[in-house]
Amino acid sequence: NNILAIMFDMNLLWENYVYYILKRAISADYSIKPQRKKHFWKPENGNVVNLQPDIVIERKIDGNSIVIDTKWKYQSDVSIQDLRQMYAYGKYFNSVQSYLVYPDKINDKKNIDIKSGKFLGDKDVDDHEAATCGLLFIDILLEGKRLNREIGKEIFKVLIP
């Protein structure tokens, strides 16, 4: 049998969707950039390795940033590799807030669920000022039926209270 298959890179689609809903909702006090690169490591012979988070939101007044990495997978808890990645992003992009963003159908009538955590053991930072890494679980559908067009604003209320 002949079939027609349309395949999408869901990781890339999710990343772009999250970027555009945030871009539409961002206030004038912030700027948002996708796929911002910084040099991370250079071997003696070879090419530079870059760090490249999916989304960086910067506050214009002081340059503080929020780093976001999107993940198209079901995740009830965070992997150690993702945490290490977010820790490095935070250091290189001057961020005390970082978030892993997952798609999720939430059963408790909320569109966004967050699990917060802190990076420990950083001798330069007191515990109350420790860098955070949160998990955001986002349900982009209203009542499971139609796209929530205000989800970007709802995300910003969580990111920047």
Side-chain angles (χ1 to χ4, degrees), residues 37-49:
K37 290 182 187 179
K38 280 196 176 182
H39 295 317
F40 178 61
W41 182 70
K42 176 153 179 22
E44 289 181 20
N45 297 316
N47 296 325
V48 171
V49 176

Side-chain angles (χ1 to χ4, degrees), residues 86 106-107 135-137 141:
M86 298 310 288
I106 302 164
N107 296 321
L135 311 179
L136 288 181
F137 299 93
L141 298 177

Side-chain angles (χ1 to χ4, degrees), residues 112-130:
I112 301 171
D113 193 17
I114 184 168
K115 289 184 180 180
S116 297
K118 292 182 179 183
F119 292 114
L120 303 176
D122 194 344
K123 293 179 183 169
D124 300 332
V125 179
D126 292 333
D127 187 49
H128 72 281
E129 294 178 356

Side-chain angles (χ1 to χ4, degrees), residues 82-137:
D82 289 344
L83 282 175
R84 288 178 180 143
Q85 180 183 23
M86 298 310 288
Y87 184 79
Y89 287 163
K91 290 293 184 189
Y92 271 73
F93 289 88
N94 188 34
S95 173
V96 294
Q97 285 180 278
S98 59
Y99 293 92
L100 292 159
V101 178
Y102 301 96
D104 193 36
K105 173 66 184 134
I106 302 164
N107 296 321
D108 60 2
K109 306 278 187 203
K110 293 192 304 188
N111 293 325
I112 301 171
D113 193 17
I114 184 168
K115 289 184 180 180
S116 297
K118 292 182 179 183
F119 292 114
L120 303 176
D122 194 344
K123 293 179 183 169
D124 300 332
V125 179
D126 292 333
D127 187 49
H128 72 281
E129 294 178 356
T132 63
C133 182
L135 311 179
L136 288 181
F137 299 93

